[in-house]
Amino acid sequence: YGGLNPYTNPTLPADPTSIAATVNPVCSGAATQLTASGAEGTVYWYTSSCGGTFVTTGNPITVNPTVSTTYYARNYSNSEYSTGCANITVTVYSPLQLPVAGSNTYIYDGTVKTATATVGTGETVDWYADATGGTAISAPSGTNVGTYSAYAETRNLTTGCVSASRTLISLQITAKDIVITGSAGQTKVFGNSDPAQFTYTFAPALIGSDVITGSMSRVSGENVGNYAYTIGTLSAGTNYSLSVAAAPTFSITAKAI
């Protein structure tokens, strides 16, 4: 009919030309900023494929991938999408294994003990007071009997990546066992009083200047017979565990008439 066609073909926006990342590769969950070059109008971002799983819009954008992921950028202008996308694969370093506790149980010997944990080659252990956050501290250590704990985190010395969580590591120092042995031949005649102090020996030796205080006792009874010794009020402090040997015993002998 010679009239003008009221319909015109829309002008499609050009495809983005490339995508740059501020950091690539990245540690798992770490941020990197993606910027699409050749942007027109609004930039739509996807994963899986061009026009696949929608992520967000904008340019630049910040992402925090936990696995290696390919991101696609597509221009949207004049109500039309570009035919294709630019894409970039953000590589995520392999996750780090958690630290494994070393042999951290010791018997008190008067020296400082420090907890250990093992990690892989090229990795180190950072210690923290809490399960998350905070600043690094020294590994738990101690001299006296007790439990000393801290959280261990793996850090890769090359990438700086850290393990996704931390391991609670405990150093345990247990009491040194000491056996008290009553002196042989301690006795009394029926009706008499016990000695003012029961004498004894002990083994093994105490550490340094540590001493045993208090008095050994015995099982109660005043008839003729043998009576086992007991700890009484003996103590060497919390760094020691005292026990009494079963023999010899205290004896009460018959009174001559």
Side-chain angles (χ1 to χ4, degrees):
Y1 295 90
L4 294 175
N5 186 348
Y7 300 100
T8 59
N9 292 326
T11 301
L12 300 179
D15 297 343
T17 56
S18 62
I19 301 172
T22 53
V23 182
N24 191 16
V26 297
C27 300
S28 178
T32 186
Q33 188 178 83
L34 305 181
T35 303
S37 297
E40 293 183 27
T42 302
V43 178
Y44 278 68
W45 295 87
Y46 306 90
T47 59
S48 301
S49 63
C50 183
T53 302
F54 176 71
V55 176
T56 188
T57 60
N59 193 45
I61 65 168
T62 299
V63 293
N64 303 77
T66 56
V67 295
S68 295
T69 303
T70 300
Y71 294 90
Y72 299 83
R74 191 177 198 180
N75 287 332
Y76 180 79
S77 180
N78 298 321
S79 300
E80 296 292 338
Y81 290 98
S82 60
T83 302
C85 295
N87 68 79
I88 187 173
T89 298
V90 178
T91 301
V92 176
Y93 289 114
S94 298
L96 301 180
Q97 298 297 313
L98 294 177
V100 177
S103 299
N104 293 321
T105 300
Y106 300 91
I107 296 172
Y108 170 74
D109 65 3
T111 64
V112 176
K113 305 298 181 186
T114 301
T116 62
T118 58
V119 291
T121 302
E123 299 171 348
T124 189
V125 177
D126 293 326
W127 298 91
Y128 294 87
D130 300 305
T132 59
T135 56
I137 60 174
S138 299
S141 63
T143 301
N144 295 320
V145 167
T147 301
Y148 306 84
S149 299
Y151 290 89
E153 179 179 270
T154 305
R155 175 168 54 87
N156 186 287
L157 292 170
T158 301
T159 66
C161 295
V162 299
S163 52
S165 60
R166 297 169 181 170
T167 302
L168 181 63
I169 305 291
S170 294
L171 166 72
Q172 284 194 315
I173 301 177
T174 60
K176 182 175 182 176
D177 291 329
I178 302 295
V179 178
I180 307 294
T181 302
S183 300
Q186 296 186 95
T187 184
K188 74 171 185 177
V189 174
F190 173 76
N192 291 348
S193 298
D194 284 2
Q197 292 280 346
F198 295 117
T199 60
Y200 59 87
T201 59
F202 62 86
L206 302 185
I207 303 299
S209 60
D210 294 343
V211 295
I212 295 176
T213 61
S215 300
M216 189 165 68
S217 187
R218 68 173 179 87
V219 172
S220 61
E222 294 300 328
N223 292 324
V224 171
N226 297 319
Y227 297 85
Y229 292 109
T230 61
I231 286 293
T233 61
L234 292 180
S235 174
T238 57
N239 289 325
Y240 298 92
S241 176
L242 306 185
S243 62
V244 178
T249 57
F250 180 75
S251 61
I252 299 177
T253 60
K255 182 176 182 178
I257 299 296

